[in-house]
Amino acid sequence: EVRLPTGVEGGRLGEVFASDVLDSEALAHAAEWPALLGSRQAPSATELAHALAAGGSFLYHGPGSLLSAALTPQQLAPLDLRACAGCLLFDAQESSLSSRRIAREANAKDAARLALEEPHATAALLSLGGVRTVVLHHWAAAPAERHAALTALLGQLGEGKTAGEAVRARHELQQPEESPPPGGGANPDVERPPSSLLLYGLPHYRMV
């Protein structure tokens, strides 16, 4: 069983997600997946927490990070997530509208809270809760680019590839949208991966 909470702005992303993923013939049983589409109603913290804890897999597709949306680190930390084999986060989608909103929200948070919203901290909290495989991005991209990355990865998982194989294939493609933003303060002596999509935990997760 796959739970698919989808946070969206203005509903358009939810509509495209329903068309390209839930109604796709490339993914077996996708039409039967329980989905929380933001085009209908923004998922609440309770709904997100239940989807994480109850589903065999969890997918989030929307602006901002999962933990800057309705679900907070404090709400995530105590959850028993041992039933969740894989968590796929295609968040950190930035448009001009979402960037301004996220910046306003960030100004109201302290440094500790912002640190817990970082991708590596999110992966750590999910892993500590019991999730065996976490796939997420380490820097932001435009919604259309992130959606293309999602459909590509789901297509490979739908073909029977493991999460590790699908992420490796993404790295080999070296998509232009995956280049880190300029001026990000990165150390030029540290080699970056060709893709911001990284896997934490067990690589043999398969979507069922």
Side-chain angles (χ1 to χ4, degrees):
E1 183 180 23
V2 181
R3 302 268 175 173
L4 296 156
T6 305
V8 295
E9 289 182 86
R12 175 152 180 78
L13 183 58
E15 296 166 5
V16 174
F17 179 86
S19 174
D20 293 351
V21 177
L22 299 181
D23 297 335
S24 172
E25 296 181 358
L27 294 167
H29 311 299
E32 302 172 8
W33 293 352
L36 300 173
L37 295 176
S39 55
R40 300 168 186 166
Q41 182 178 345
S44 67
T46 300
E47 289 173 322
L48 287 170
H50 177 74
L52 263 169
S57 298
F58 175 92
L59 189 153
Y60 178 85
H61 185 34
S65 68
L66 172 66
L67 298 186
S68 68
L71 193 65
T72 67
Q74 291 78 7
Q75 291 167 324
L76 172 63
L79 295 179
D80 182 353
L81 305 178
R82 287 174 292 179
C84 186
C87 184
L88 311 178
L89 301 184
F90 283 77
D91 53 5
Q93 301 177 28
E94 291 191 358
S95 63
S96 57
L97 178 62
S98 67
S99 294
R100 291 193 295 270
R101 177 180 58 78
I102 292 169
R104 288 196 302 269
E105 294 173 352
N107 288 335
K109 300 173 183 176
D110 59 27
R113 168 64 189 274
L114 291 174
L116 289 173
E117 294 178 5
E118 290 294 318
H120 65 278
T122 299
L125 286 172
L126 290 167
S127 298
L128 287 171
V131 179
R132 295 184 286 284
T133 302
V134 180
V135 175
L136 47 65
H137 287 81
H138 270 247
W139 52 80
E145 296 165 344
R146 188 66 19 106
H147 182 75
L150 167 68
T151 54
L153 186 82
L154 289 180
Q156 291 167 336
L157 292 174
E159 294 172 357
K161 292 183 179 179
T162 66
E165 292 168 339
V167 170
R168 178 184 293 273
R170 188 69 187 168
H171 277 249
E172 291 172 349
L173 286 175
Q174 298 187 26
Q175 295 291 335
E177 65 94 358
E178 297 294 341
S179 299
N187 186 341
D189 297 326
V190 177
E191 183 179 357
R192 281 183 177 269
S195 169
S196 75
L197 187 66
L198 297 179
L199 183 150
Y200 292 82
L202 304 178
H204 57 257
Y205 163 78
R206 295 179 187 274
M207 181 170 284
V208 294

